[in-house]
């Protein structure tokens, strides 16, 4: 895949990022809009990436430090509470979207691996996300475990599931076993 690369966001990426996010999520009521997306990027520019594929925009990944077992509310922009370095040991994948023309090539998995490498290098211990629109099975195959005991903001809808995984399989984090019910890892 020499015609594919992952890089940090640039200012000129925003129109395509917003358009892709809207195409992916508007029909299900999950689209956030430009300002909310930009606020997630501002919270942690070093963990937000664009995928270039076959000479064009291929997708994006927005991730930010966020306390384990919590997540951003889709209806609110970030106000600095989760600024880079203040989120503790968890890195939250907020949005991973692949452009229609680039789907089916394993690029989402490649971006997720890139985020894992970035997270390990920055010494994060866990990754988390909210699986929407029935995507929990996909994330389970990538090592995430559902945490149905974690409450989510209503903005995600009734079918959303909080999921988390340790960055290093050998890491034992007592927080994963701290709430009754489901276990992660």
């Amino acid at each position: 895949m020499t015609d594919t690369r992952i890089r940090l966001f640039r200012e000129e990426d925003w129109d395509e990022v917003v358009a892709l996010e809207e195409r992916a999520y508007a029909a299900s009521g999950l689209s956030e809009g430009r300002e909310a997306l930009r606020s997630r990027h501002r919270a942690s520019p070093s963990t937000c990436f664009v995928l270039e594929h076959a000479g064009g925009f291929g997708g994006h990944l927005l991730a930010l430090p966020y306390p384990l077992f919590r997540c951003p509310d889709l209806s609110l922009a970030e106000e600095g509470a989760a600024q880079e370095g203040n989120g503790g040991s968890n890195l939250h994948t907020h949005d991973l979207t692949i452009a229609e023309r680039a789907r089916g090539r394993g690029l989402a998995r490649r971006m997720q691996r890139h985020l894992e490498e970035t997270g390990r290098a920055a010494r994060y211990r866990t990754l988390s996300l909210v699986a929407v629109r029935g995507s929990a099975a996909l994330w389970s195959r990538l090592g995430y475990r559902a945490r149905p005991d974690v409450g989510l903001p209503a903005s995600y809808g009734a079918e959303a599931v909080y999921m988390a995984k340790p960055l290093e399989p050998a890491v034992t984090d007592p927080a994963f076993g701290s709430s009754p019910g489901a276990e992660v890892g």
Side-chain angles (χ1 to χ4, degrees):
M1 274 194 243
T2 58
D3 62 343
T4 302
R5 78 178 183 123
I6 299 169
R7 62 166 172 78
L8 294 174
F9 269 62
R10 295 181 191 143
E11 187 60 32
E12 61 267 19
D13 296 324
W14 283 105
D15 287 344
E16 290 188 272
V17 167
V18 170
L20 176 59
E21 190 268 355
E22 186 174 293
R23 286 192 310 273
Y25 298 114
S28 57
L30 299 173
S31 184
E32 299 175 80
R34 183 180 297 264
E35 187 48 40
L37 292 169
R38 288 186 71 115
S39 75
R40 315 266 187 244
H41 174 260
R42 282 191 304 270
S44 186
S46 68
T47 58
C48 296
F49 307 100
V50 164
L51 174 72
E52 290 180 352
H53 177 70
F57 179 81
H60 66 271
L61 186 153
L62 293 168
L64 63 158
Y66 230 82
L68 188 61
F69 307 132
R70 291 188 48 215
C71 63
D73 188 322
L74 296 179
S75 64
L76 303 171
E78 295 303 312
E79 294 184 16
Q83 292 293 321
E84 227 169 354
N86 293 335
S89 63
N90 183 61
L91 186 57
H92 184 79
T93 302
H94 181 69
D95 190 17
L96 171 55
T97 308
I98 302 298
E100 297 85 343
R101 68 179 191 81
R103 292 182 185 156
R105 294 176 169 85
L107 297 173
R109 182 179 297 249
R110 183 171 172 186
M111 288 192 78
Q112 181 63 27
R113 277 194 311 264
H114 183 79
L115 181 64
E116 289 175 10
E117 292 166 8
T118 300
R120 282 187 195 99
R123 299 181 187 232
Y124 287 99
R125 297 180 66 203
T126 57
L127 294 176
S128 64
L129 56 85
V130 176
V132 296
R133 301 181 320 170
S135 63
L138 166 98
W139 292 110
S140 291
R141 288 192 299 274
L142 296 175
Y144 286 84
R145 297 295 168 251
R147 292 300 306 243
D149 55 317
V150 175
L152 296 173
S155 58
Y156 285 94
E159 302 298 317
V161 178
Y162 186 92
M163 302 182 81
K165 75 180 250 182
L167 260 178
E168 295 291 345
V171 171
T172 303
D173 189 336
F176 279 113
S178 66
S179 27
E183 219 176 272
V184 174

